[in-house]
Amino acid sequence: MNILNIGNRIIELRKQKGWSQTDLAKAIEASRDMIGKYERNDNLPSIEVAFKLADVFDISVDFLLGKGKHSTYDKETIKRLEDIESLDQQTRATLFNVIDTFLRDSKARLAYK
C-alpha cells in the first residue's frame, strides 16, 4: 500500500499540462507503462524519477510527495518565501504589516457575508 498516494498528484499535474501518459513518459525519459504504474500507485518512482517529475512539472519534490515543510507550496511560492527571508528585518516587518492588513480585511469581509 502506497501511503504517499503520489499517483493522484501525477495524474493531476499531468492533466494540468494537457499531457497524455506518453507525453509525460517522453518528458522524463520513461515508459508509458511505468507512468501508468505510478499513477495507479502500483510502483513508486525512484528518487531520480521523482526529481525528473518535479522538474517537468516545475514543482518541488516535497509537493510531489505531499510530505515535508513545503509540501503544499509550488516552486513560485517557495521562491517568494525565500526572497522574503532574505530581506532585512525592517523591510520584512513592513511587508508583514501589509500582508496582515490584507488578511485581516479579507477575513472581515468573509465574516460579514
Side-chain angles (χ1 to χ4, degrees):
M1 181 172 129
N2 178 359
I3 60 172
L4 295 178
N5 201 12
I6 294 171
N8 287 343
R9 286 189 185 260
I10 294 172
I11 292 169
E12 179 183 326
L13 292 163
R14 178 175 59 77
K15 288 183 177 181
Q16 285 174 7
K17 285 215 177 251
W19 287 357
S20 67
Q21 287 182 340
T22 302
D23 295 331
L24 177 56
K26 286 179 185 176
I28 66 165
E29 300 173 335
S31 71
R32 189 203 57 76
D33 290 339
M34 283 309 298
I35 300 300
K37 288 180 180 181
Y38 299 149
E39 290 185 355
R40 289 188 306 273
N41 290 306
D42 290 343
N43 280 55
L44 287 173
S46 67
I47 292 171
E48 179 184 345
V49 172
F51 278 110
K52 286 181 178 183
L53 288 165
D55 285 343
V56 299
F57 291 132
D58 198 29
I59 58 169
S60 69
V61 174
D62 283 354
F63 183 83
L64 177 65
L65 300 177
K67 299 283 184 187
K69 183 178 177 182
H70 302 298
S71 66
T72 60
Y73 303 144
D74 58 24
K75 280 188 177 178
E76 183 178 330
T77 302
I78 292 172
K79 174 71 173 115
R80 284 183 174 156
L81 292 172
E82 289 170 349
D83 288 346
I84 290 169
E85 285 182 344
S86 69
L87 296 172
D88 63 84
Q89 188 63 33
Q90 184 175 353
T91 304
R92 258 195 347 226
T94 301
L95 178 60
F96 288 145
N97 283 334
V98 171
I99 291 170
D100 290 343
T101 300
F102 277 97
L103 292 172
R104 183 198 66 222
D105 292 351
S106 176
K107 289 175 184 177
R109 281 191 302 277
L110 288 174
Y112 289 108
K113 280 190 173 184

